[in-house]
Structure formats: structure tokens, C-alpha cells
Amino acid sequence: MNRIVSTSLIGTAAVVALVAASCAPAFADGTSTPAPSTGKTLAAIQARAKTDTTARISALNTAIAKVTAAKDISASDRSTILGTLNGDVSGMNTVEAKIAADTTAATAAADFATIFTGYRVFAVAIPQARLASAADRLTSTTVPKLTDAQTKLAAALAGPDKAKSTPALLADLADMSSQVSAASTALNGVSAKALAVTPADYNSNHAVMTPIRTSVETAITDLKKASADGKTVLAAIK
Amino acid sequence: MTTRDAARIAVALVAVAIVGASLTGCSRAALAGQQAPAAATSVTPTSTPAPAAASGDDSSLQGIQGDLDSANSATANAGGDVADADRSAATSDSP
């Protein structure tokens, strides 16, 4: 009986260990995509490389179009972003051609891995482009526009619309100013930080983009509050 | 002076009166025509400040509304950028 029990326990433990071992890489990479190079034929690796590079080139071209069309991205950041995105398009074409020309599965597998580790198109290049764009939009347009609106509203409440001024409206104005200030603090240096992230940074720390995204999201939340404050005050003096 | 002569003189006087009246009307019309543009150019600037004060308030409010609209538009676009970043980051980027 004890032997049966212990045998069952050992067997169960072995199954659990096997399941855990097979799942571990998927969780670590944040993906459940199996590695195509493991035990795959050269043709299979080449086919997968074609699919994966094509998907990345398509996403890169979409991002390039958006960055090119965006009006409130700084010229410097636009140049940096487009340099990275266009460089990655070129890189994808190069690595895909190399894999297509590979003659062994081992070489193709090694080249295949560089599609991910060498570029991190989805994990780094595109997110950093979009987050830097967001930070630029907020810094160059939202913050100054809300600052202008706050200044004009304060002047109106202190002058021609003084009769409509109330402690609540003045508190809204003060909060508007505070929210814009907080957003400016959150955005300080964010685009530069986003654009400084490299695939190597991501390879060693998969959460490297998280604080950058958090800063942008925090700024958006602050600026939405500031806008709501401004809207309240404006409605009161109309 | 015959009756005929008197009639001629009367007709001539009426004619002179008519011509004179016409000339007077023309000169008034001409004066009016000259004054109209002058009034338009001179009155407009002097009358501008009054409406400007009223519409100045409106335009000021519209300016604030425009600032808020521009800010909201840029914020919405930034939100779209973050959504794009999230979609990309959620895509598998490992072999």
C-alpha cells in the first residue's frame, strides 16, 4: 500500500515537474509561442522566419506612417524614431534573406533567434516610438494649451468675471494648475528614456518599458483632470 | 409782350427750375456718394471698439474653449499612442 502511495506520489510529482518545466519558458518570455527552431527542419524555420519578419515589417511600416503623419512630435524625436523603425525594417529584410539562404537548420535557428533578441520590434521598437510620441504630444500641445487656458480663466475670474468667482471655482483653478504641474513632472525626460531603451535592455529586463508607460499614463490622467477643471470654470463664467 | 411771349418765358422758367432742381439733386447724390465710402471707412473703426468689447469677451471664451479642445485632442491622441504601445507589447516577441 505504502509502495503504491509513494509510487503514485512520485509519478504525480514527475508529471507536475514536467508540466512546470514546459511552461516556464513561456511565462518567462511572456508568450506561449513554442520555439520553432527546436527540432524543426530548415524549411520550417525558414517559413516561420518569413512569417515573423513579414509581420514585423508590416507593423513597422504602420508605425512609420503614424510617426510621419503626427504633427506634435519633436523633430529630434521624430528623426530618432524613424531612424530606429526604418533601421528595423532593413534589419528584418536582411535577417530574413540570410535565413532563406542558410543551408543548415542549426544556422537558421541561430539566425532566427536574432529576429527577436536583436530587434525586439514588438516589445521595444514600436512601444518606445508610440510612448515617445505620446510624451511629445502631451508636452508640446496639451500642457501649454491647458496652461494658457488656466491663465485666461484666472484672468477672467480676477477681472471681468469677478462677480462669478466662487471659492469652488478658485479651487478648480488651483487644481487645474496642480494637475498640469504634476503631469509636466511625470513627463520630464520620458521621451528620451523611451528612445534610449535597446533590445539588449529588454533582453535583460522584460519590464524595462513599464515605468515609461506608467509615467505617460499618469500624465494623461493628470491632464484629463486639469481639462475637466478648466471645463468646469469655463462653464461657470459663460 | 404778347401772351405767347409770356407763355415762352413761363416755359423757360419752368425749364430752368427743373434743370436747377436736377442739378441740386445730382450734387446731393454726388455728395452722398462721396460721403458714403468716407463714412464706411471712418465709422467702422470708431464703431469697432464697442462691438469688440462685447465680442472680445466671446472670442476670449472661445479662445479658452479652443485651448481646452486642442488639449483634449492631443491627450486623446496620446492615449491612442499608449494603446498602440500596449497592443504591440502584448504581441509575442520571443522565438
Side-chain angles (χ1 to χ4, degrees), chain A residues 140-199:
Chain A
S140 68
T141 301
T142 307
V143 167
K145 288 294 181 183
L146 288 178
T147 300
D148 285 351
Q150 198 274 345
T151 301
K152 292 172 185 172
L153 288 168
L157 283 183
D161 294 303
K162 193 170 185 176
K164 298 173 184 173
S165 180
T166 66
L169 290 180
L170 292 176
D172 286 334
L173 263 185
D175 187 65
M176 185 179 185
S177 182
S178 297
Q179 297 295 345
V180 172
S181 178
S184 297
T185 300
L187 290 169
N188 186 30
V190 164
S191 63
K193 287 178 188 172
L195 297 179
V197 176
T198 64

Side-chain angles (χ1 to χ4, degrees), chain A residues 156 160-161 234 237-238, chain B residues 51-64:
Chain A
D161 294 303
L234 180 61
I237 65 174
K238 267 186 176 177
Chain B
S55 68
D57 289 341
D58 290 342
S59 65
S60 176
L61 295 180
Q62 288 170 1
I64 296 170

Side-chain angles (χ1 to χ4, degrees), chain A residues 71-95:
Chain A
K71 294 177 181 174
D72 37 12
I73 300 176
S74 77
S76 171
D77 284 351
R78 189 193 310 275
S79 174
T80 301
I81 292 168
L82 291 178
T84 298
L85 298 179
N86 283 308
D88 283 1
V89 170
S90 177
M92 287 296 108
N93 284 320
T94 299
V95 73

Side-chain angles (χ1 to χ4, degrees), chain A residues 66 120 130 137 213 227, chain B residues 72 81 84 86 88 92-93:
Chain A
K66 287 187 176 182
R120 297 297 185 190
R130 308 312 298 147
R137 288 184 204 278
R213 185 201 179 283
S227 180
Chain B
N72 291 340
D81 291 334
D84 282 349
D86 288 347
S88 181
S92 170
D93 208 3

Side-chain angles (χ1 to χ4, degrees), chain B residues 1-86:
Chain B
M1 180 180 289
T2 63
T3 304
R4 180 174 292 178
D5 291 338
R8 284 177 180 165
I9 291 170
V11 168
L13 287 172
V14 169
V16 167
I18 291 172
V19 170
S22 297
L23 289 173
T24 303
C26 285
S27 65
R28 282 179 182 169
L31 285 173
Q34 288 170 353
Q35 285 173 348
T41 52
S42 63
V43 167
T44 301
T46 54
S47 63
T48 298
S55 68
D57 289 341
D58 290 342
S59 65
S60 176
L61 295 180
Q62 288 170 1
I64 296 170
Q65 185 64 60
D67 288 338
L68 293 176
D69 290 344
S70 296
N72 291 340
S73 176
T75 303
N77 286 334
D81 291 334
V82 173
D84 282 349
D86 288 347

